[in-house]
């Protein structure tokens, strides 16, 4: 747990203790609460817990490959059916085995499984309590079945609310994401799918208690499996997108060895800025692509120009200044890049209109391009190259502030500064040469210092902030 912040450890521990408190009434040697209807149908508990575990297991089976796709949350109807059929404590217990045995893609796997088990147990317990509060158990047995929709909807919304609240807490403590940003991003896209899961869970509960028995309830999972398959297709398509991006970035890194790793860091810094600006989550991935691919047009620039050790001639400078247009042409047909294409074309525009390729000014410059411009300059200044040392982060931020309003958007600069206060930044050596052999700080990127001061960064290489007076 070394990588987990102390606040997140405490938060996870509280969630685990809360989950234990929820299931404690049905755990031996503590007897169930003795009141009418509190008896635990252990056969139902075991069957639902086993069903949910089986639903989670295929994702961990190496021998099945991609033939059994699984998406997180696809089988929440099983948990909601448990909330509608069982007492709250027993319903919470149903989620634990599947969560502990399910797939975890990131480390530390053990901690993530324990967190997931606690989270789902609390959410299922909350759903069962909301369902009971509206007399869902009584309505489910009555002939007037439509009235069961109200308590079922309440249970599904309670499930959604608990999951979302717990997710917001872990994002705030583990990733230091602003609470409002995390809450808004999660809550806006959670209720609709959880309501659909609630309806499927209610159908399972009705069939479970029907004359056809528990076996008939399994048919409800068929649409869930189909949705799983569709999600898997989306996931494979997304993986293909990632592979395309990696291939382009590797090609740039091979051609321009001095900026190796620069593109990935610009993508990361761009996302940090976007999160501080509370951008919608669906835009963040596209913005990351924009940061990663901002210099893809270098593939169209002669290698001798990119790797030139001395000052650039005017003709060579004009050639390098074409790289945003080269990059835009290269990615024009890649539909999933969306807004990223405009950022690739315009990330060298300046707020005062003196940038290139089109001399856009102020709000004419696309938002993504203004974000990438700040991230690009920041990483250029804080990376060590073979001919100059990196600037410290505070010095680089001060340089960005000095150029805000003329070269950079002040709002983006402020957002980056706030993000770095939360998350910090690890400077890097991007050249193949060892660090510390440079000739002093310089902000112009991978070009040795020019003999005379320049007002703007050396274009197209690794753009820092203005070198001369603002």
């Amino acid at each position: 747990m070394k990588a987990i912040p102390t606040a997140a450890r405490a938060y996870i521990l509280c969630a685990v203790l809360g989950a234990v408190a929820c299931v404690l009434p049905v755990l031996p040697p503590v007897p169930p609460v003795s009141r009418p209807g509190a008896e635990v149908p252990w056969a139902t508990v075991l069957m639902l817990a086993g069903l949910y575990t089986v639903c989670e297991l295929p994702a961990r089976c190496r021998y099945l490959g991609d033939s059994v796709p699984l998406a997180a949350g696809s089988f929440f109807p099983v948990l909601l059916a448990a909330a509608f059929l069982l007492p709250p404590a027993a319903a919470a217990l149903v989620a634990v085995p599947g969560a502990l045995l399910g797939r975890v893609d990131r480390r530390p796997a053990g901690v993530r499984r324990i967190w997931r088990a606690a989270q789902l147990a609390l959410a299922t317990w909350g759903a069962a309590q909301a369902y009971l509060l509206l007399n869902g158990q009584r309505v489910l047995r009555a002939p007037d079945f439509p009235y069961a929709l109200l308590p079922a909807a309440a249970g599904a919304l309670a499930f959604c609310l608990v999951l979302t609240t717990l997710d917001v807490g872990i994002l705030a403590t583990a990733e230091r994401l602003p609470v409002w940003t995390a809450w808004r991003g999660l809550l806006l896209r959670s209720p609709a799918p959880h309501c659909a899961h609630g309806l499927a869970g209610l159908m399972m509960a009705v069939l479970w208690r029907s004359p056809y028995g528990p076996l008939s309830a399994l048919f409800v999972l068929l649409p869930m499996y189909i949705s799983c398959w569709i999600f898997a297709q989306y996931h494979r398509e997304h993986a293909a997108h990632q592979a395309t991006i990696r291939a382009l970035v590797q090609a740039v890194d091979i051609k321009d060895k001095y900026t190796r790793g620069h593109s990935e860091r610009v993508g990361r810094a761009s996302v940090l800025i976007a999160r501080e600006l509370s951008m919608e989550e669906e835009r963040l991935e596209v913005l990351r692509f924009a940061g990663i691919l901002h210099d893809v047009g270098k593939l169209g620039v002669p290698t001798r120009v990119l790797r030139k050790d001395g000052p650039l001639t005017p003709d060579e400078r004009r050639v390098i200044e074409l790289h945003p247009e080269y990059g835009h042409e290269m990615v024009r047909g890649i539909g999933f890049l969306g807004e990223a294409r405009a950022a690739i074309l315009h990330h060298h525009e300046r707020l005062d209109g003196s940038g290139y390729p089109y001399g856009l000014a102020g709000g004419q410059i696309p938002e993504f391009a203004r974000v990438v411009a700040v991230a690009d300059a920041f990483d250029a200044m804080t990376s060590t190259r073979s001919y100059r040392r990196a600037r410290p982060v505070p010095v680089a931020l001060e340089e960005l502030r000095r150029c805000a309003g003329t070269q950079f958007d002040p709002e983006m600069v402020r957002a980056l500064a706030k993000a770095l206060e939360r998350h910090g930044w690890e400077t890097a050596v991007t050249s193949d040469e060892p660090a510390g052999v440079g000739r002093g700080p310089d902000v112009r990127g991978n070009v040795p210092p020019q003999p005379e001061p320049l007002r703007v960064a050396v274009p197209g290489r690794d753009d820092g902030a203005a070198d001369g007076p603002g």
Side-chain angles (χ1 to χ4, degrees):
M1 292 185 62
K2 291 182 179 179
I4 302 177
T6 302
R9 298 185 198 184
Y11 185 78
I12 293 171
L13 179 60
C14 290
V16 171
L17 293 176
V20 171
C22 289
V23 303
L24 199 58
V26 296
L27 292 179
V30 180
V33 178
S34 58
R35 65 175 187 270
E39 296 79 10
V40 179
W42 284 106
T44 302
V45 172
L46 293 175
M47 282 191 288
L48 286 171
L51 177 60
Y52 185 66
T53 302
V54 168
C55 290
E56 293 284 353
L57 281 179
R60 298 193 66 197
C61 182
R62 297 179 180 178
Y63 303 103
L64 293 175
D66 292 334
S67 61
V68 184
L70 185 63
S74 294
F75 297 105
F76 282 169
V78 178
L79 301 183
L80 288 166
F84 302 154
L85 290 168
L86 300 169
L93 196 59
V94 168
V96 175
L100 291 176
L101 295 173
R103 177 176 180 172
V104 175
D105 294 322
R106 297 170 60 189
R107 296 181 179 180
V111 175
R112 291 180 183 276
R113 287 197 178 99
I114 292 171
W115 159 251
R116 186 66 171 163
Q119 183 186 33
L120 290 179
L122 288 169
T124 308
W125 182 87
Q129 290 286 5
Y131 187 72
L132 283 179
L133 189 63
L134 295 179
N135 296 318
Q137 294 278 13
R138 180 181 60 81
V139 175
L140 188 60
R141 296 189 183 96
D144 298 326
F145 166 68
Y147 293 107
L149 292 175
L150 180 60
L157 289 175
F159 187 87
C160 169
L161 186 62
V162 174
L163 276 184
T164 301
T165 303
L166 291 172
D167 278 335
V168 168
I170 203 66
L171 287 173
T173 56
E175 300 185 16
R176 298 183 177 88
L177 193 66
V179 173
W180 171 245
T181 300
W183 178 265
R184 187 181 68 171
L186 290 171
L187 192 61
L188 286 178
R189 63 179 186 270
S190 295
H194 282 110
C195 285
H197 290 157
L199 182 59
L202 181 62
M203 292 170 61
M204 285 191 69
V206 171
L207 289 172
W208 195 281
R209 286 187 171 165
S210 73
Y212 303 102
L215 188 62
S216 63
L218 297 180
F219 288 100
V220 178
L221 294 180
L222 182 59
M224 300 297 106
Y225 188 89
I226 293 173
S227 69
C228 234
W229 183 85
I230 294 173
F231 179 85
Q233 301 312 305
Y234 165 79
H235 183 74
R236 293 186 187 106
E237 182 180 356
H238 185 264
H241 295 170
Q242 296 280 5
T244 301
I245 300 298
R246 282 196 301 271
L248 289 170
V249 171
Q250 287 172 358
V252 175
D253 286 347
I254 290 171
K255 185 163 188 174
D256 190 6
K257 64 180 181 179
Y258 290 106
T259 59
R260 192 161 297 158
H262 168 69
S263 297
E264 292 286 350
R265 291 192 302 277
V266 171
R268 188 164 69 249
S270 298
V271 171
L272 288 178
I273 295 171
R275 288 193 187 278
E276 288 297 325
L277 297 174
S278 299
M279 280 190 189
E280 295 83 356
E281 287 291 324
E282 56 266 22
R283 298 180 71 200
L284 294 185
E285 184 74 354
V286 179
L287 178 58
R288 189 175 72 86
F289 288 157
I292 290 174
L293 292 176
H294 72 285
D295 275 343
V296 69
K298 287 182 177 180
L299 294 174
V301 177
T303 304
R304 62 176 179 78
V305 176
L306 288 176
R307 297 188 179 184
K308 185 176 180 180
D309 291 330
L312 297 175
T313 67
D315 287 341
E316 290 169 337
R317 185 180 303 278
R318 281 192 291 271
V319 169
I320 282 189
E321 287 183 356
L322 291 173
H323 85 274
E325 295 175 273
Y326 290 157
H328 185 257
E329 286 299 317
M330 289 176 187
V331 302
R332 181 190 293 273
I334 305 179
F336 69 84
L337 288 179
E339 290 181 86
R341 295 193 292 269
I344 292 169
L345 179 61
H346 296 296
H347 71 279
H348 282 298
E349 306 285 3
R350 291 175 50 128
L351 223 62
D352 60 6
S354 63
Y356 64 91
Y358 300 133
L360 302 185
Q364 294 177 318
I365 305 172
E367 184 181 28
F368 275 19
R370 285 177 275 143
V371 172
V372 172
V374 172
D376 185 18
F378 174 75
D379 183 69
M381 287 188 284
T382 55
S383 299
T384 297
R385 305 296 159 77
S386 60
Y387 50 83
R388 60 108 174 105
R389 295 183 180 89
R391 285 191 174 193
V393 169
V395 175
L397 285 175
E398 186 58 36
E399 181 70 7
L400 290 174
R401 292 189 185 102
R402 184 178 71 82
C403 299
T406 55
Q407 185 170 352
F408 305 115
D409 187 330
E411 184 182 10
M412 308 306 175
V413 175
R414 285 192 295 269
L416 177 62
K418 289 180 181 178
L420 295 178
E421 287 178 9
R422 295 182 199 275
H423 304 283
W425 185 260
E426 184 178 349
T427 57
V429 177
T430 54
S431 170
D432 291 333
E433 301 295 330
V437 299
R439 300 176 239 173
D442 177 58
V443 301
R444 281 170 291 194
N446 63 342
V447 185
Q450 299 281 359
E452 68 280 350
L454 297 173
R455 294 182 64 84
V456 295
V458 171
R461 296 235 177 156
D462 214 352
D463 311 292
D467 294 314

